[in-house]
Amino acid sequence: AGWDASGATPENATGIHHPSGDVKKICFEEDSPYTSSTGGAAVWWIDAWELGVTEPGSSGSPLFDQNHRIIGQLYGGAAACSGSVNNGAYDFYGRFDVSWGLGVSQYLDPTNSGSTVLDGYPTGFNTDEGCTDPTACNYSPLAIIDDGSCAENDECGVCGGDNSSCGGCTNPQACNYDAGAVVDDGSCVLSGVALTFTLLTDNWPGETTWSVTDGAGDIVMEGGPYNGQQTTYIAEACVATGCYTLTVNDSYGDGLQYGGVVGDYSLVDGDGNVLAQMVDGGDFGSQAVADFCVEAGNDVPGCIDSSACNYDAEATSDDGSCEYGQTYYLDSDGDGYGSVESGVSCSGVLPGNTSFQSGDCNDANSTMYPGAPGTGAGVDNDCSGTLDADEEEVVCPEDVNGDGSISVADILAVLAEFGCTSNCASDVDGDGNVIVSDVLALLVAFGQDC
């Protein structure tokens, strides 16, 4: 089933409903319903059902056309059963095409696609399938079958993104530094030269294009065609030391001049040196080509990674000398292991209460750290995630006084409570009483440590 909000008159109609709260029923109108109005509402009018009939309780049920598409909803009428037969009376349905314009479209066509007809779900669509991981950025609460589509936000905050939307050069020492970039895309030009291309169009700006290519023929700058007549356009880029070619094209073949109106262009470096400029008074035909070379000045090699121990703020090119320190962790309990990253040591010297070792699962307990021996207290001493044999809690009921050994003091404690029959502290064998069997159990373990 689908829906049709076009308002087209159907060839016939079918109603599916639950009359008077009864089980689902169906009725058929073999003729075309016609448009009418009642109570100020535009409706589809059913003169009489040929087979089946609605009854009180059917209101709001859908009316389908010959294509099994909903075209209306039961609004009112006089049709009903008369005994066991159809009374032959009329029904009228609110028109779906009218409801569409009154707000239904925002739910069934939220993207404003303009479609007024839909036959069920789109091809391949299944609401049972989707991302079932509630931590994913595209989690679908309707999905019960995971289709492998779960994604996470990239560093730019884009669900399933590749960081390209916020990528750029993040090194402020580079000549193409992008202050708005979040993720470094490897484009930084550290030993580079800034280039500025300035173009003044003639009266036919759509004819003009240009590019700067490197020695391998790769484009490093380009522009055009343009829209504005006698308009100045400026483009900037940062390029590495090397030789390049500026090519300016005019598709008509009359350069940057026509009818006395002359354009202009120039290419300069960051120091204002002119590398190329317009030739022949603008009448260069279809193409003007200029070769030029640039060399970065005041290149300062060094470590340009600000996270390195030997970062050099004055360096402009990375010479591979960066050195990185060792991360250390807060070690509150002094067991030689920490859990919270506290800083980086470039000298190899640790501040107090810190350790280069991480993985401590309880930094408030010095008996708990990776590889620690078990204490038999029922805790995960070695932070393995499971209780080993030496970590399982040791139960020693014979140690009545809890001093860690079974001695005369325990025997005296049992004898002092001998004959107890309820809430007995010295019930060694756990039978609820302190009797001879408790004394015998204690004597068997006498002299042992717990």
Side-chain angles (χ1 to χ4, degrees):
W3 42 258
D4 186 341
S6 68
T9 300
E11 297 176 7
N12 52 59
T14 302
I16 298 178
H17 53 102
H18 290 270
S20 298
D22 199 355
V23 296
K24 183 166 64 177
K25 300 294 177 63
I26 188 168
C27 47
F28 300 94
E29 165 63 287
E30 297 176 358
D31 302 317
S32 295
Y34 56 88
T35 59
S36 184
S37 63
T38 180
V43 297
W44 291 115
W45 194 275
I46 306 289
D47 277 333
W49 296 101
E50 269 73 34
L51 180 62
V53 68
T54 61
E55 283 195 290
S58 300
S59 296
S61 60
L63 181 69
F64 295 86
D65 66 7
Q66 71 279 359
N67 297 310
H68 314 296
R69 299 168 182 157
I70 294 174
I71 59 170
Q73 58 282 347
L74 185 57
Y75 183 31
C81 288
S82 177
S84 60
V85 298
N86 181 352
N87 67 359
Y90 61 88
D91 272 335
F92 47 87
Y93 284 74
R95 286 169 44 186
F96 188 71
D97 59 305
V98 175
S99 301
W100 183 264
L102 296 177
V104 171
S105 62
Q106 65 179 310
Y107 298 101
L108 298 184
D109 186 23
T111 61
N112 295 317
S113 67
S115 175
T116 57
V117 176
L118 180 70
D119 289 312
Y121 287 117
T123 302
F125 183 82
N126 185 349
T127 56
D128 288 343
E129 296 182 354
C131 174
T132 60
D133 182 356
T135 65
C137 58
N138 61 331
Y139 167 62
S140 172
L142 298 178
I144 58 176
I145 301 173
D146 196 288
D147 62 1
S149 66
C150 292
E152 59 183 20
N153 287 330
D154 65 6
E155 295 182 58
C156 307
V158 177
C159 186
D162 59 1
N163 294 328
S164 60
S165 63
C166 64
C169 175
T170 61
N171 190 332
Q173 303 299 325
C175 63
N176 62 330
Y177 168 62
D178 181 357
V182 175
V183 179
D184 196 288
D185 62 2
S187 65
C188 292
V189 180
L190 297 168
S191 300
V193 176
L195 299 182
T196 301
F197 181 77
T198 303
L199 171 72
L200 173 64
T201 60
D202 60 9
N203 277 352
W204 299 93
E207 300 173 358
T208 305
T209 58
W210 63 274
S211 66
V212 175
T213 54
D214 61 16
D218 295 326
I219 296 175
V220 296
M221 297 178 70
E222 63 180 333
Y226 299 95
N227 296 317
Q229 296 178 334
Q230 286 288 284
T231 301
T232 298
Y233 294 91
I234 298 176
E236 298 177 330
C238 179
V239 298
T241 295
C243 293
Y244 298 85
T245 299
L246 168 66
T247 303
V248 181
N249 303 298
D250 184 84
S251 61
Y252 189 77
D254 59 358
L256 275 174
Q257 59 81 41
Y258 181 79
V261 176
V262 181
D264 195 10
Y265 68 82
S266 65
L267 180 68
V268 300
D269 64 16
D271 295 325
N273 299 313
V274 178
L275 305 174
Q277 58 188 348
M278 192 172 72
V279 296
D280 300 327
D283 187 11
F284 54 79
S286 297
Q287 189 175 81
V289 178
D291 296 321
F292 63 95
C293 297
V294 293
E295 183 176 355
N298 302 319
D299 187 23
V300 180
C303 175
I304 61 174
D305 187 343
S306 59
S307 66
C309 291
N310 60 331
Y311 167 63
D312 184 358
E314 302 297 325
T316 59
S317 64
D318 197 307
D319 61 1
S321 65
C322 291
E323 298 176 357
Y324 299 89
Q326 187 173 0
T327 300
Y328 56 84
Y329 305 84
L330 181 65
D331 180 16
S332 300
D333 57 13
D335 59 9
Y337 289 83
S339 60
V340 179
E341 187 173 321
S342 185
V344 175
S345 173
C346 289
S347 64
V349 177
L350 281 171
N353 297 320
T354 60
S355 171
F356 287 130
Q357 303 292 330
S358 64
D360 197 330
C361 54
N362 187 338
D363 204 28
N365 187 334
S366 61
T367 68
M368 298 177 68
Y369 55 87
T375 58
V379 297
D380 182 19
N381 294 99
D382 63 0
C383 300
S384 65
T386 59
L387 289 181
D388 300 328
D390 63 347
E391 295 173 333
E392 294 179 353
E393 185 175 5
V394 177
V395 179
C396 190
E398 296 86 359
D399 183 16
V400 177
N401 63 359
D403 64 356
S405 63
I406 303 169
S407 62
V408 172
D410 299 294
I411 294 176
L412 294 176
V414 170
L415 293 176
E417 205 177 17
F418 194 84
C420 174
T421 58
S422 64
N423 299 320
C424 304
S426 303
D427 180 15
V428 176
D429 60 8
D431 64 356
N433 305 298
V434 179
I435 55 178
V436 173
S437 60
D438 297 290
V439 177
L440 294 176
L442 194 150
L443 291 175
V444 170
F446 189 84
Q448 298 180 8
D449 292 328
C450 288

